[in-house]
Amino acid sequence: MSIFSKANKEVFLSPLNNNNPVLVQVLGICSALAVTSQLKPAIVMGLAVTVITAFANVIISLIRKTIPNRIRIIVQLVVVAALVTIVSQVLKAFVYDVSVELSVYVGLIITNCILMGRLEAFASMNSPMPSFIDGIANGLGYAYILVVVGAVREFFGRGSLLGFQIIPDSVYDFGYVNNGMMTMPAMALILVGIVIWVHRAYFYKEEK
């Protein structure tokens, strides 16, 4: 099957809109709320989930016919745990400050509903290439929600993006004050709710 086939195109596009893991399936909400106080950790978390989902899908797809049905969940968890450990060590080596900020949430990728759901519902029943595409697409579908929420929270809560000040000092001199509510976890929930509402109202088309 060609990588650019109609089937693979549908596999890639569906998680970005009509079957988005956060907006439609409402999965992975805990980490989406926890790591979006700033844009940088949101980007890193999104990329980590994307990489782990893609490669876990490929591995499970490759060995799917050899896994006894009664231990398939255990095998999936072992594969995910190994990939999470590798990603965690890479983050500590190259972006240690972000890995500290992400704290336990990198480790909790092991139990991420998006990840386990794709392994069980897709990778265990499909060949490696579609599984890889599905993993990438679902990871990106999760990641761009984190990026949107993280960017809004950092911009209005701190006046910056990626740590660089965006709102000039002259604006503060006129009396502008950063919205401290944006840095609180409750605001993340509200923003995710707003994003889901906008998506359902203007972009989501229910499959018949």
Side-chain angles (χ1 to χ4, degrees):
M1 180 184 293
S2 171
I3 189 175
F4 299 109
S5 67
K6 184 178 180 180
N8 283 343
K9 181 180 179 181
E10 177 61 26
V11 168
F12 181 78
L13 294 178
S14 179
L16 301 179
N17 186 22
N18 285 348
N19 200 29
N20 186 277
V22 177
L23 301 181
V24 179
Q25 300 178 48
V26 197
L27 300 176
I29 292 294
C30 293
S31 56
L33 302 181
V35 303
T36 55
S37 62
Q38 296 185 63
L39 182 55
K40 189 174 181 179
I43 292 174
V44 173
M45 186 66 169
L47 290 175
V49 170
T50 301
V51 169
I52 292 170
T53 306
F55 284 98
N57 267 14
V58 171
I59 294 171
I60 293 300
S61 177
L62 286 171
I63 64 175
R64 69 188 188 281
K65 295 180 180 180
T66 65
I67 304 174
N69 188 59
R70 65 183 181 277
I71 63 167
R72 70 184 189 283
I73 300 298
I74 297 174
V75 174
Q76 291 170 7
L77 285 172
V78 170
V79 170
V80 173
L83 290 171
V84 169
T85 301
I86 293 171
V87 168
S88 178
Q89 294 305 310
V90 170
L91 292 178
K92 288 179 181 178
F94 295 99
V95 281
Y96 182 75
D97 57 329
V98 177
S99 71
V100 171
E101 191 168 350
L102 291 175
S103 183
V104 299
Y105 295 104
V106 173
L108 289 177
I109 293 175
I110 296 172
T111 58
N112 191 302
C113 300
I114 298 170
L115 190 60
M116 298 305 298
R118 298 327 296 166
L119 294 179
E120 183 70 10
F122 197 93
S124 61
M125 296 182 289
N126 290 274
S127 57
M129 182 53 70
S131 296
F132 180 75
I133 295 172
D134 178 79
I136 290 288
N138 276 276
L140 292 177
Y142 167 83
Y144 83 75
I145 304 304
L146 264 65
V147 168
V148 169
V149 174
V152 171
R153 291 183 69 192
E154 182 176 355
F155 180 79
F156 289 104
R158 304 172 187 268
S160 63
L161 287 175
L162 294 174
F164 298 101
Q165 184 174 336
I166 301 299
I167 299 177
D169 292 332
S170 57
V171 175
Y172 291 104
D173 292 340
F174 276 106
Y176 177 80
V177 178
N178 290 330
N179 187 345
M181 281 288 293
M182 284 291 177
T183 62
M184 300 178 66
M187 203 63 208
L189 181 61
I190 293 172
L191 287 174
V192 170
I194 291 173
V195 173
I196 291 175
W197 170 71
V198 171
H199 177 262
R200 291 294 183 97
Y202 298 102
F203 301 102
Y204 177 71
K205 294 181 180 178
E206 187 173 355
E207 296 180 358
K208 297 181 180 180

